[in-house]
Amino acid sequence: MPKPNGAQIRRRRQERGLTTAELAARVGFTNEGSMRNIENRNDSTAMIKLYRIARELGVAVEEIIAADDAEPSADGDPDHARLPAPSGDRR
């Protein structure tokens, strides 16, 4: 599972005036502790959850993925890195 950029998620959440509990509920976590773990410890999480977090924050998922989890591009340019595809929506 990919690692999120917790600091970036926290910053974007705060910019939007959301609490961890509010974002957790919108994303589908059963408790806000999961959201805090992502923000504070960069806990790995399923791609689908990262896509949901990005959607709720109004950002591209690439903005909230830790740089070392993106697959290198064929040309070696880190700006062209690819992210793993989501495994499907499990709502």
Side-chain angles (χ1 to χ4, degrees), residues 4-83:
N5 180 333
Q8 178 75 334
I9 292 171
R10 183 182 314 105
R11 185 172 68 80
R12 296 294 188 159
R13 175 184 56 76
Q14 291 171 339
E15 286 174 355
R16 282 153 184 77
L18 296 170
T19 66
T20 53
E22 290 168 332
L23 182 56
R26 290 181 180 197
V27 171
F29 288 124
T30 56
N31 63 64
E32 71 177 293
S34 298
M35 194 73 241
R36 273 194 246 112
N37 289 343
I38 289 171
E39 287 186 0
N40 296 325
R41 298 189 328 214
N42 295 326
D43 280 2
S44 295
T45 191
M47 266 318 282
I48 193 64
K49 294 288 187 184
L50 293 175
Y51 275 97
R52 289 178 185 168
I53 291 169
R55 180 188 66 214
E56 292 301 326
L57 296 177
V59 299
V61 73
E62 292 85 359
E63 291 184 46
I64 62 167
I65 299 286
D68 59 349
D69 267 348
E71 295 176 17
S73 67
D75 64 6
D77 186 335
D79 289 335
H80 299 153
R82 294 176 310 162
L83 294 174

